[in-house]
Structure formats: structure tokens, C-alpha cells
Amino acid sequence: MKDFLLDPWPWWFSGILIGLIVPLLYLLSGKAFGVSTSFQELGALCARGRGPDYFKSFNWRAGLWTVVFAVGIALGGFTAAFVLSRDGIDFLPASYHSPGGVIRLLVGGFLVGFGTRYAGGCTSGHAINGISNRNLPSLIATVFFFVGGLAVTWGLGSLLF
Amino acid sequence: MDAKQTNSKQGFQSLGAYLRILLVGALLGLVLAKSEAATWGRVHKMFRFEEAHMYLIIGVAIAVAMASMWILKKLNASSVGGDPIVYQPKPYHKGVVIGGMIFGAGWAITGACPGPIYAQIGGGEWYAAITLVGALLGTFCFASVRSRLPH
């Protein structure tokens, strides 16, 4: 049991737990599973009632839970790396700990922020919550997540990685 | 009007609700990190079709979530706070395709979708803070050009 928890978790165990986040969040808070709305919330908190309508007309009070959820995710990441692992978790390859890596993370992060907000959701809101609620636009979004990811990996892979 | 009503009118949740949201978030972050779904190499191998790990995780997660939602609807379940559990469909527009591709590109480069960004930071991967800064810059950029984008 101890070894099971300390080793990387198998796909079936992880998949079941991630799937259960959807009903858990609905039951315990009435909220729909989604992570990237926290970007809009953080933007609205920075804009403080000014700036583009995307932030100004967003109810930051109603959206505050998304940041609480994000802090929870970080706490979970902390527990995984510092309590439930043998010697930490290597999230990024060593090659990313470099000036070139900083540029890749900044540009890639920019695409994640812009893309998820333009698409109206990410892997959680579209791929998991959306598809599991049989929302066709979410299935389309997920297909195009992979179109973009595969295009970059196979098209620019030799340049980027 | 009592404090609880004032809060819900403004949109805030109760303290207890925030605590429950924090705990569900912690469970998610724990699984994202422990499953290595937040590890760059796993995401890269997914896009390279070198291993099924990520596809299996996402597939099982969707199946479990779908079965759970079916049960919740059958039981007519409501949340702890008494709200009905209703999925608000996300509408189709051109951004679903264009934005979807843009996000996918970013996911392949950073090895992180939004959830894993927070899990990586919490797990001590400080370079992921750069990914988060990038994501916020991307969000600000989207906010300022949104009215000119095809929808």
C-alpha cells in the first residue's frame, strides 16, 4: 500500500480519481469542473473594474472559487512531491531549466492562456466535464487541442525539443 | 438580510464551500502530480504516440465522470448547499476550433494544461511560474483583442 502510494500512480487509478472530481465538485460546491476560468478571474482581480470588458463585466466575486480551487491544486502538487514521493517529481526536463526553456515556457504559457480562453475551456472544462456531459462543442474543442498539439510536436518538434 | 444572503447575492461562497473547493482542488493536484499527467515527458510521449498512459487516464476520467453524471441525474441530486446540479453547455463558436488549436500547441510546448501548471508550482517546479505568467499574459492579450476575433 505504501509502495503503491509512493510510486507513480497507474493510469486506471488516476483516471478514476480525476473522473470523480466532476461529481465531487458538483456535490460539494455546485460548481462545474474547470480550471482555466481562474485565468479570467486573476485578470479581473488585476484589472480592478477597469480594462477590457472581458475582465470588467466578469463577476470576480462569483469567480473567486476558481482561485481557491487553483490554490488547492497547488497544495495537492506540494503533497505529491514532498510527502507522497520518494525523492520529488521531475515535472520539466533539465533542458527547460535554461534561458531557452524560459522562452519556451513563456511563449507556450501565452498560447495556453490565449487558447483556453478563446476556446472557452481546457482539458478539464471541455475534455473531461464537457464530453462527459455529452456537449458536442467540447468534443470538437478536444479534437482541436490534439490537432494543435500534434502539429507542434510533429511539425516543429526537431526545432523545439 | 443576514451575512450569508449578502454573500450569495454578491457571488461569494460560504467559508465552508471554499474549504470544500480547496480540498477537491488538493485531490486533483495530488492526482495530476502522482499520475505524471503534469510531467512534460508524459505529455510529449502522448503527442508522439509513444505511450498510451495519458490517453488511458483521460479516457477513464471521461468514462467515470460520464457515469457519475448519469447517476447524479437519475437521483436528481443537489449540491450540499442545496443548488440543483445542472451542466451549462459551452456553446460552439469559431474560437472552439482556433483557440483549441492554439491551446493544444501551448500544451505540447509547456507540457502543462492549466491544472498541471498549478500542480507543478505547488510541487516545487518554480519554472512553471513562468508558464503561469505566460498564461496570464495570453489571457490579457485575449481580453484586449477579443472583440476583433472571429466568434
Side-chain angles (χ1 to χ4, degrees):
Chain A
M1 179 68 184
K2 193 166 170 245
D3 279 340
F4 180 85
L5 289 177
L6 287 176
D7 285 337
W9 291 355
W11 56 268
W12 56 270
F13 186 62
S14 311
I16 290 170
L17 289 179
I18 293 175
L20 287 176
I21 297 290
V22 172
L24 272 177
L25 200 58
Y26 270 126
L27 283 169
L28 294 177
S29 70
K31 297 297 177 197
F33 180 32
V35 179
S36 66
T37 308
S38 62
F39 298 156
Q40 186 179 11
E41 170 69 15
L42 289 171
L45 288 174
C46 292
R48 295 175 149 269
R50 291 195 299 269
D53 197 50
Y54 187 67
F55 296 142
K56 211 165 44 183
S57 64
F58 185 71
N59 184 348
W60 66 269
R61 290 177 183 88
L64 195 63
W65 76 270
T66 61
V67 174
V68 174
F69 192 51
V71 171
I73 296 172
L75 286 174
F78 177 88
T79 310
F82 299 108
V83 182
L84 279 179
S85 76
R86 290 197 174 78
D87 30 39
I89 297 170
D90 290 326
F91 292 102
L92 290 171
S95 65
Y96 270 64
H97 296 151
S98 66
V102 169
I103 294 169
R104 274 174 279 179
L105 292 174
L106 200 59
V107 173
F110 184 94
L111 300 176
V112 170
F114 191 101
T116 53
R117 293 297 74 220
Y118 192 10
C122 59
T123 329
S124 51
H126 268 317
I128 294 174
N129 195 18
I131 293 179
S132 69
N133 281 289
R134 289 172 287 178
N135 186 43
L136 184 61
S138 293
L139 180 62
I140 297 170
T142 305
V143 167
F144 282 95
F145 295 166
F146 281 90
V147 169
L150 291 169
V152 162
T153 303
W154 291 85
L156 303 172
S158 54
L159 292 170
L160 277 172
F161 312 125
Chain B
M1 193 184 290
D2 65 20
K4 197 179 169 189
Q5 277 177 320
T6 315
N7 280 347
S8 64
K9 196 164 191 183
Q10 289 182 326
F12 286 125
Q13 312 293 304
S14 68
L15 212 56
Y18 281 130
L19 192 65
R20 293 192 293 274
I21 289 167
L22 190 78
L23 287 175
V24 178
L27 174 65
L28 176 65
L30 182 68
V31 185
L32 288 175
K34 283 303 300 178
S35 66
E36 300 188 331
T39 296
W40 187 92
R42 292 287 197 179
V43 176
H44 190 59
K45 283 178 180 155
M46 168 182 79
F47 285 126
R48 296 271 308 161
F49 298 122
E50 283 174 13
E51 59 176 30
H53 186 76
M54 290 290 294
Y55 293 104
L56 290 168
I57 289 179
I58 297 171
V60 170
I62 291 172
V64 168
M66 198 179 272
S68 309
M69 289 311 292
W70 185 82
I71 293 168
L72 289 187
K73 268 172 210 155
K74 279 279 162 213
L75 297 175
N76 233 336
S78 56
S79 75
V80 170
D83 303 317
I85 294 173
V86 186
Y87 174 74
Q88 301 282 353
K90 289 175 186 267
Y92 176 81
H93 58 90
K94 292 194 182 85
V96 166
V97 171
I98 307 167
M101 284 193 284
I102 294 172
F103 160 54
W107 187 13
I109 296 170
T110 61
C113 45
I117 295 177
Y118 297 119
Q120 289 177 346
I121 296 173
E125 177 50 79
W126 299 115
Y127 278 75
I130 299 161
T131 316
L132 181 60
V133 169
L136 293 178
L137 290 175
T139 304
F140 274 93
C141 179
F142 169 73
S144 27
V145 300
R146 186 170 77 126
S147 56
R148 277 168 279 159
L149 293 171
H151 270 92

